[in-house]
């Protein structure tokens, strides 16, 4: 029997959503508009398009935060099955290995276990989306000039979570009855990054065959 996703997600408090939109702000209204479109049953390709008259950076910001929350939760359902012993390297099958690099502890690309990579990734993204200089929330404060470049890096790294989960933990997705939910989240993510050309095509290669099958 399929498990209720809310029950699954409640098991691991480490990977609960960590970013909300402030009610009354323009971004909150955009978020509500995006969620309403999702729930309406509209084609996901249509849902991701920039609404007329809206600012593209605001639209991207809303989706980056939402995808962070959703993918954070998806990985949270796998966390108990993704360990130092089961996943000693952050990989996507035998052909793809992802190394971690940041501006603090790992200045050179480092080979890490999947759970260590994931923990660093989620903390890194959380730090960025809570940084007012990167994701400004105050009215009248502009986005930085490199905002879309930052979002490209965030989304590229979040895509790697899908790669690892689908290739190494798909049995867990099936056993929890979460396949439809994860697939829908992936399709929404995929259509969004393609709509705005936010992730290099080469990064998408590990899931190309699956993507061609479910995102036809």
């Amino acid at each position: 029997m399929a498990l209720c996703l809310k029950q699954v997600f409640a098991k691991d408090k480490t990977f609960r959503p960590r970013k909300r939109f402030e009610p009354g702000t323009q971004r909150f209204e955009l978020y509500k508009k995006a969620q309403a479109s999702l729930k309406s049953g509209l084609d996901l390709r249509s849902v991701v398009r920039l609404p007329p008259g809206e600012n593209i950076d605001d639209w991207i910001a809303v989706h980056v935060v939402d995808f962070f929350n959703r993918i954070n939760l998806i990985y949270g359902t796998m966390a108990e099955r993704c360990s130092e012993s089961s996943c000693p390297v952050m990989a996507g099958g035998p052909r793809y290995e992802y190394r971690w690099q940041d501006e603090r502890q790992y200045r050179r690309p480092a080979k890490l276990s999947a759970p260590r990579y994931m923990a660093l990734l989620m903390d890194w993204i959380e730090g960025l989306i809570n940084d007012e200089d990167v994701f400004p929330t105050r009215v009248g404060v502009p986005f930085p000039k490199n905002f879309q470049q930052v979002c490209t890096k965030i989304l590229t790294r979040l895509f790697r979570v899908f790669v690892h989960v689908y290739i190494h933990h798909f049995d867990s997705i099936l056993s929890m009855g979460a396949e439809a939910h994860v697939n829908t989240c992936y399709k929404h993510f995929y259509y969004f990054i393609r709509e705005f050309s936010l992730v290099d095509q080469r990064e998408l290669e590990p899931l190309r065959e699956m993507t061609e099958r479910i995102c036809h």
Side-chain angles (χ1 to χ4, degrees):
M1 176 182 280
L3 294 174
C4 171
L5 285 175
K6 288 183 179 178
Q7 294 175 332
V8 174
F9 293 155
K11 290 180 180 179
D12 192 327
K13 302 301 182 184
T14 304
F15 287 92
R16 61 191 176 192
R18 296 184 263 185
K19 178 70 175 182
R20 305 282 183 189
F21 300 103
E22 290 297 325
T25 62
Q26 181 185 14
R27 215 162 292 159
F28 180 74
E29 295 305 316
L30 272 180
Y31 172 73
K32 287 200 302 182
K33 184 183 294 187
Q35 294 303 301
S37 296
L38 272 177
K39 293 175 183 177
S40 70
L42 289 175
D43 179 74
L44 287 171
R45 289 185 182 87
S46 302
V47 166
V48 300
R49 291 174 188 150
L50 180 68
E54 298 295 352
N55 177 277
I56 188 171
D57 285 342
D58 275 320
W59 189 241
I60 290 174
V62 163
H63 282 81
V64 167
V65 173
D66 190 40
F67 288 136
F68 165 67
N69 285 339
R70 292 172 184 273
I71 295 169
N72 203 356
L73 283 174
I74 287 171
Y75 181 69
T77 69
M78 311 293 131
E80 292 180 359
R81 297 170 172 85
C82 184
S83 65
E84 299 284 335
S85 57
S86 68
C87 304
V89 177
M90 174 57 183
R95 293 180 57 194
Y96 300 95
E97 180 180 304
Y98 301 118
R99 301 198 173 194
W100 181 258
Q101 185 175 17
D102 55 35
E103 296 178 355
R104 295 182 180 180
Q105 187 176 357
Y106 298 97
R107 293 183 177 274
R108 295 182 179 179
K111 185 174 182 177
L112 302 174
S113 68
R116 177 62 177 155
Y117 184 103
M118 297 294 189
L120 288 168
L121 173 60
M122 299 307 175
D123 286 344
W124 174 74
I125 297 175
E126 184 180 22
L128 286 172
I129 63 179
N130 286 318
D131 185 340
E132 284 288 328
D133 291 331
V134 182
F135 280 74
T137 58
R138 298 185 297 276
V139 176
V141 178
F143 287 92
K145 292 181 179 179
N146 69 336
F147 179 69
Q148 291 191 27
Q149 290 176 289
V150 172
C151 289
T152 285
K153 193 167 185 178
I154 291 172
L155 293 168
T156 297
R157 287 179 165 182
L158 282 175
F159 183 81
R160 295 170 182 176
V161 179
F162 277 121
V163 173
H164 183 75
V165 167
Y166 270 118
I167 293 177
H168 294 272
H169 300 290
F170 191 69
D171 286 348
S172 296
I173 295 174
L174 292 177
S175 68
M176 290 184 287
E179 181 183 8
H181 174 83
V182 175
N183 284 350
T184 298
C185 184
Y186 175 76
K187 288 164 70 174
H188 186 200
F189 181 93
Y190 176 80
Y191 290 138
F192 184 80
I193 61 174
R194 298 304 295 155
E195 175 73 15
F196 299 102
S197 301
L198 290 167
V199 175
D200 190 288
Q201 184 69 38
R202 291 171 295 182
E203 285 283 343
L204 308 179
E205 188 62 24
L207 296 181
R208 180 176 55 83
E209 291 184 8
M210 184 201 76
T211 302
E212 289 174 352
R213 188 172 66 252
I214 70 173
C215 298
H216 49 75

